[in-house]
């Protein structure tokens, strides 16, 4: 198995990119992309615009909030299932060290990420590597440590010397009219089409979002682990890794992102509100819908259970 650091170096060398880091501002049992209007999701951890609610459906709504992203033009909402340290029956959210939204492959992009674009990637009901789409590029590993032979989407079996890290790739093709999206390379190719465009018919290439998330284990698990990792995602085992995105980039900045075409160099995205040096502007982010939903694990389970009794079916999506 190739070491992860080699793979990362190869990826960075092959594609132009920019990065936006963002601070966590809430855990909540909502998913405006998968379960709009409801408070019956498993817990998610949210980054970016604090205007996000269970009803959010547009870029403009996010742009009315304040953002924890370290670029003031980025009002996107980014979320993932909450990661817990499990000690017996006690579930404690694992603190984040760093959440990074990479935008890669910009040299291949034909269009900016469209306003109102939203998507979920990953399989939230996956329980094995076979359930995981290879194109989602899901990996769990110990940052900087020697790789081990295991499923790419499995947690490491020995403790990390620094951070537990995970990666997730989003779609890089989008239909500008319908906002449907896909990974490139998923269509039935013919030689002409392959040469001109690797996206499914009707879609164009856009910058590809990739989450890179580092978790801080030092205070929560100073003794580390050996064997089965004492972690669980709100959706289940590591294989259920997924991520959601609602685009909130100001339109001018989303266009400027297309200028980050160097194959090797990081490029800052500038826009009407400045550049990286001007973020994060939101020092006191708040939940825009504090009276509904929950950030408590046990309560979230109860709220999902309510749905189970109400409709007789446990919905594992989101
Ligand atoms: C959400 O936004 C899309 C356009 O981006 C629109 O077609 C759809 O009707 C909206 N849904 C709701 C519930 O407002
Ligand atoms: C997602 O995982 C489930 C296992 O619960 C599996 O049945 C399903 O085929 C997977 N979906 C995809 C698209 O692979
Ligand atoms: C190749 O695929 C494209 C897109 O589906 C289609 O428009 C074109 O006619 C195809 N060419 C051939 C030679 O089949
Ligand atoms: C990005 O490129 C476009 C088109 O070349 C140009 O008009 C714009 O000024 C550039 N933006 C920045 C921030 O350099
Ligand atoms: C959210 O909370 C507010 C204030 O308690 C309440 O008025 C509203 O009906 C709630 N919304 C939903 C969808 O439950």
């Amino acid at each position: 198995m190739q070491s992860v650091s080699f793979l990362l170096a190869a990826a960075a060398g092959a594609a132009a990119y920019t990065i936006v880091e963002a601070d966590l501002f809430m855990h909540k049992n909502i998913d405006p992309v998968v379960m709009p209007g409801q408070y019956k999701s498993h817990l998610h951890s949210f980054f970016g615009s604090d205007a996000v609610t269970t009803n959010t459906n547009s870029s403009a709504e996010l742009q009315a909030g304040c953002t924890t992203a370290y670029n003031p033009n980025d009002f996107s909402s980014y979320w993932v299932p909450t990661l817990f340290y499990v000690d017996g029956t006690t579930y404690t959210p694992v603190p984040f060290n760093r959440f990074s939204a990479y935008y890669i492959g910009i040299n291949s992009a034909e269009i900016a990420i469209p306003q109102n674009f939203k998507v979920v990637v990953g399989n939230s009901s996956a329980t094995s590597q076979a359930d995981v789409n290879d194109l989602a590029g899901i990996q769990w590993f110990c940052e900087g440590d020697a790789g081990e032979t295991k499923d790419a989407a499995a947690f490491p079996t020995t403790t990390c010397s620094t951070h537990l890290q995970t990666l997730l790739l989003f779609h890089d093709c989008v239909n500008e009219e319908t906002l449907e999206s896909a990974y490139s390379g998923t269509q039935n190719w013919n030689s002409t089409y392959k040469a001109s465009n690797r996206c499914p018919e009707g879609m164009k290439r856009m910058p590809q979002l990739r989450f890179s998330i580092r978790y801080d284990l030092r205070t929560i698990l100073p003794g580390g682990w050996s064997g089965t990792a004492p972690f669980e995602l709100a959706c289940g085992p590591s294989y259920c890794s997924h991520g959601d995105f609602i685009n909130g980039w100001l339109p001018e900045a989303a266009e400027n992102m297309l200028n980050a075409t160097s194959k090797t160099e990081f490029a800052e995205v500038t826009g009407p509100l400045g550049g990286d040096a001007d973020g994060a502007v939101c020092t006191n982010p708040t939940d825009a819908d504090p009276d509904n939903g929950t950030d408590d694990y046990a309560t979230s389970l109860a709220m999902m259970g309510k749905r189970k009794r109400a409709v007789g079916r446990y919905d594992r999506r989101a």
Side-chain angles (χ1 to χ4, degrees):
M1 179 175 157
Q2 286 175 314
S3 86
V4 164
S5 55
F6 169 82
L7 294 173
L8 293 183
Y17 72 100
T18 192
I19 311 170
V20 177
E21 292 175 15
D23 291 337
L24 172 77
F25 72 93
M26 70 173 178
H27 301 296
K28 195 147 178 177
N29 64 336
I30 58 170
D31 191 327
V33 168
V34 178
M35 293 184 166
Q38 302 181 53
Y39 300 92
K40 289 161 184 167
S41 171
H42 48 245
L43 280 186
H44 286 114
S45 302
F46 284 82
F47 306 81
S49 172
D50 75 346
V52 68
T53 71
T54 189
N55 294 312
T56 302
N57 186 43
S58 69
S59 299
E61 290 167 273
L62 294 175
Q63 288 155 1
C66 91
T67 181
T68 68
Y70 285 71
N71 183 305
N73 305 291
D74 183 12
F75 292 90
S76 299
S77 183
Y78 305 99
W79 66 94
V80 290
T82 302
L83 179 70
F84 295 98
Y85 165 51
V86 183
D87 182 13
T89 56
T90 305
Y91 282 61
T92 311
V94 179
F96 289 87
N97 167 257
R98 193 190 306 164
F99 173 90
S100 305
Y102 281 69
Y103 291 87
I104 64 173
I106 298 171
N107 47 311
S108 303
E110 301 165 278
I111 57 166
I113 299 173
Q115 295 292 294
N116 301 327
F117 174 65
K118 57 182 179 176
V119 69
V120 57
V121 296
N123 181 352
S124 64
S125 55
T127 56
S128 72
Q129 188 70 42
D131 298 332
V132 176
N133 182 348
D134 286 346
L135 293 169
I138 296 169
Q139 297 183 34
W140 285 91
F141 55 97
C142 290
E143 181 188 6
D145 294 351
E148 60 173 309
T149 303
K150 66 167 185 63
D151 290 346
F155 290 131
T157 61
T158 50
T159 194
C160 299
S161 61
T162 58
H163 306 117
L164 176 65
Q165 190 172 352
T166 189
L167 303 178
L168 175 67
L169 279 167
F170 283 70
H171 296 165
D172 54 347
C173 297
V174 67
N175 180 308
E176 291 174 282
E177 302 302 320
T178 64
L179 300 181
E180 288 169 303
S181 61
Y183 291 108
S184 58
T186 52
Q187 76 287 7
N188 293 320
W189 284 353
N190 63 41
S191 56
T192 312
Y193 194 46
K194 182 178 178 181
S196 60
N197 189 329
R198 295 175 53 238
C199 285
E201 203 173 352
M203 294 190 186
K204 290 182 176 165
R205 283 286 278 274
M206 63 178 170
Q208 184 171 32
L209 175 60
R210 186 183 75 189
F211 286 177
S212 171
I213 306 172
R214 291 173 175 81
Y215 293 92
D216 186 354
L217 306 173
R218 279 174 272 206
T219 50
I220 202 160
L221 196 55
W225 74 93
S226 178
T228 303
F231 305 121
E232 213 177 283
L233 289 166
C235 50
S238 61
Y239 302 104
C240 75
S241 277
H242 59 280
D244 293 65
F245 170 69
I246 303 178
N247 182 27
W249 282 93
L250 294 177
E252 300 90 335
E255 290 290 338
N256 283 340
M257 186 189 289
L258 298 181
N259 296 6
T261 53
S262 162
K263 289 192 195 296
T264 52
E265 299 288 318
F266 161 79
E268 173 187 9
V269 175
T270 58
L273 299 181
D276 289 351
D278 304 301
V281 288
C282 191
T283 52
N284 188 24
T286 50
D287 180 349
D289 180 23
D291 296 328
N292 301 300
T294 184
D295 64 0
D296 176 71
Y297 178 67
T299 309
S300 74
L301 291 185
M303 292 178 81
M304 291 164 78
K306 236 186 252 169
R307 180 161 194 267
K308 183 181 182 179
R309 285 191 294 277
V311 303
R313 183 169 71 89
Y314 172 56
D315 192 335
R316 301 184 64 190
R317 293 175 307 147

